[in-house]
Amino acid sequence: APSFDVERVRADFPILGEMINGQPLVYLDNAATTQKPNAVIDAIANYYRHDNANVHRGVHTLSDRATRHFEDAREKTAGFLNSPSSRQIIWTRGTTEAVNLVAHSWGADNLKAGDRILVSWLEHHSDIVPWQLAAARVGAEVVPIPVTEEAEIDMDAFDALLDERVKLVAVNHVSNAIGTINPIENICARAHAAGALVLVDGAQAVGHWDVDVQALGCDFYCFSAHKLFAPTGMGVLWGREALLEAMTPFLGGGEMIETVSFAGTTFNGLPFKFEAGTPNIAGAVGLGAAIDYLSLIDRDAAAGHEDALLTATLEAASEIPGVRRIGAPKRSAGIFSFVMDGCHPSDVGMLLDEQGIAVRTGHHCAQPLMSRFELPGTVRASFSMYNTLDDVDRLIAGLKKAQSLFGPR
Ligand code: PMP
């Protein structure tokens, strides 16, 4: 097995030293947002201390410096995704805005009454609602792709849905509620054979491994920097260049134009055509720093470490009576989503918090998926590379305590 020095990684994340309710923090809410290493915190502080100015405008030195940092981050992000060009990296506020951009701009030019968009039952609301809005504008239809009892996409049902009405398929790379890793290459091949495009919501994938958009074969890929050890309010839309070139702008304003007149306005080239207004410069700097930081880490070994934590958790939890895992995907990325007999998910979450353990409870912005499993919500423990077997032990002890208070007797 590859070696992974978790203590060395932990030392880079100052927040992991916090005491919560008298106990050392056990942070198992990484699917909601990841913590930030010193490299990212320092890069943002240094940017504001030494380089802050507006980008792409000034003739002065600071503006040049800010622009260089901002555009360097775009190059790094292109490398991180294996994008053919940095022109295909569009900055957004996050996954949500990236999906909305495509649903709005691509949808406006390419969807008509009777067309279909397929979205899986595993999707986060941010990969459902933008499509519903776009479909409603033109009389198109959003059709869900069924998932199995294991919480995997039902590929036979998917095939059966693929016909000439389908214009786009929107799926997540990793489900935030269950952890399922979806077979994106396979989904893209089938969708393309049927003449449909594929948008991948990669919010939950980037925290676990480096993504190769060319190998995946997708048409659009979206992610949020805050799930990649970088700041909130920052995200990425990657798209095939020809598709982005053909799309009309999403938001209008400064930066995205070439010339403006009341007779008519012409637009800037990629990627700026989609970046109206002063951007989140420090967010880009933070994202670039996170990608640099991760380049020093053996991410395969980190993913192996996360798998080992999940396996240990599943084994230990299976021995606690009344604890039931939701879904059983064959390939899963660091998420244990479960319910406990006799104990509401939010009560489990509160009891764990009293013991210094942070988890998420509720519907995880995936209400259709919860309804598929006839649940109001689950408790979700989600791992990152800096979690330890000690964290697993603390979680299991916390669950046993919750079970002794509330569980079946
Ligand atoms: N999709 C998935 C799978 C997610 O986990 C999340 C974040 N919980 C989102 C989309 C939305 O990301 P953001 O809120 O950062 O835009």
Side-chain angles (χ1 to χ4, degrees):
S3 72
F4 180 70
D5 189 347
V6 65
E7 288 308 325
R8 216 176 121 193
V9 171
R10 287 180 73 79
D12 296 330
F13 289 81
I15 206 168
L16 298 177
E18 286 293 297
M19 297 294 285
I20 304 292
N21 297 320
Q23 310 248 26
L25 167 66
V26 173
Y27 187 74
L28 296 177
D29 197 16
N30 293 288
T33 199
T34 52
Q35 299 300 347
K36 319 306 171 198
N38 282 320
V40 168
I41 298 168
D42 293 346
I44 295 167
N46 284 335
Y47 166 74
Y48 279 125
R49 288 211 170 91
H50 301 293
D51 305 316
N52 176 56
N54 211 330
V55 290
H56 300 141
R57 309 207 209 292
V59 291
H60 60 82
T61 304
L62 272 191
S63 176
D64 279 349
R65 242 146 68 182
T67 304
R68 189 154 39 75
H69 286 304
F70 185 67
E71 293 303 327
D72 279 354
R74 201 188 303 270
E75 293 293 333
K76 288 171 191 173
T77 305
F80 176 78
L81 292 178
N82 193 28
S83 171
S85 148
S86 63
R87 286 162 47 83
Q88 293 162 267
I89 304 296
I90 315 289
W91 297 135
T92 67
R93 284 185 297 140
T95 308
T96 302
E97 187 178 285
V99 178
N100 275 276
L101 192 166
V102 177
H104 192 98
S105 289
W106 177 86
D109 294 336
N110 295 282
L111 288 176
K112 58 180 191 315
D115 285 347
R116 290 184 151 191
I117 299 151
L118 304 186
V119 305
S120 90
W121 279 85
L122 287 171
E123 295 319 295
H124 187 281
H125 296 162
S126 67
D127 200 27
I128 299 175
V129 183
W131 302 114
Q132 291 177 327
L133 293 169
R137 282 192 284 268
V138 297
E141 203 186 348
V142 174
V143 179
I145 310 166
V147 299
T148 63
E149 203 51 34
E150 286 73 37
E152 293 176 336
I153 289 179
D154 180 336
M155 294 299 278
D156 292 334
F158 175 50
D159 276 337
L161 284 170
L162 280 173
D163 61 26
E164 69 292 341
R165 288 172 295 181
V166 178
K167 295 295 178 298
L168 185 138
V169 177
V171 287
N172 54 38
H173 201 165
V174 173
S175 146
N176 66 304
I178 306 286
T180 314
I181 302 174
N182 287 314
I184 299 299
E185 293 94 331
N186 194 345
I187 288 170
C188 290
R190 294 184 194 202
H192 289 159
L197 300 179
V198 179
L199 174 139
V200 180
D201 164 357
Q204 292 295 336
V206 289
H208 301 293
W209 60 80
D210 296 355
V211 168
D212 183 336
V213 288
Q214 299 189 62
L216 289 175
C218 58
D219 301 289
F220 298 104
Y221 196 96
C222 313
F223 76 88
S224 302
H226 73 95
K227 315 240 189 207
L228 188 69
F229 314 104
T232 52
M234 184 67 201
V236 172
L237 167 66
W238 176 87
R240 286 192 193 279
E241 192 159 358
L243 291 170
L244 294 174
E245 287 283 10
M247 278 158 56
T248 45
F250 177 41
L251 302 174
E255 182 86 14
M256 53 77 71
I257 54 89
E258 190 180 53
T259 60
V260 176
S261 81
F262 290 113
T265 289
T266 55
F267 304 124
N268 206 336
L270 291 177
F272 311 111
K273 177 172 89 171
F274 293 109
E275 296 180 0
T278 298
N280 183 355
I281 306 164
V285 168
L287 175 57
I291 290 171
D292 282 346
Y293 171 74
L294 288 169
S295 74
L296 305 174
I297 285 178
D298 180 342
R299 292 205 90 193
D300 289 339
H305 168 73
E306 291 169 4
D307 286 344
L309 296 178
L310 181 63
T311 303
T313 305
L314 294 179
E315 259 171 42
S318 71
E319 276 154 30
I320 308 174
V323 169
R324 178 164 61 95
R325 184 187 187 197
I326 304 305
K330 279 184 286 298
R331 296 171 64 226
S332 166
I335 288 180
F336 174 42
S337 203
F338 64 96
V339 291
M340 186 182 269
D341 285 349
C343 190
H344 194 276
S346 64
D347 292 333
V348 178
M350 260 150 36
L351 264 164
L352 291 175
D353 181 57
E354 278 173 19
Q355 301 166 69
I357 305 164
V359 295
R360 171 104 181 248
T361 66
H363 56 62
H364 315 296
C365 299
Q367 284 180 352
L369 186 66
M370 295 298 119
S371 74
R372 160 72 180 76
F373 287 97
E374 294 173 5
L375 295 167
T378 73
V379 184
R380 180 187 71 188
S382 51
F383 295 100
S384 185
M385 60 180 178
Y386 42 61
N387 289 120
T388 62
L389 280 170
D390 188 51
D391 292 343
V392 173
D393 291 344
R394 294 262 312 273
L395 172 69
I396 295 298
L399 292 182
K400 286 183 173 156
K401 186 166 172 187
Q403 210 256 354
S404 70
L405 290 172
F406 291 115
R409 273 143 231 275

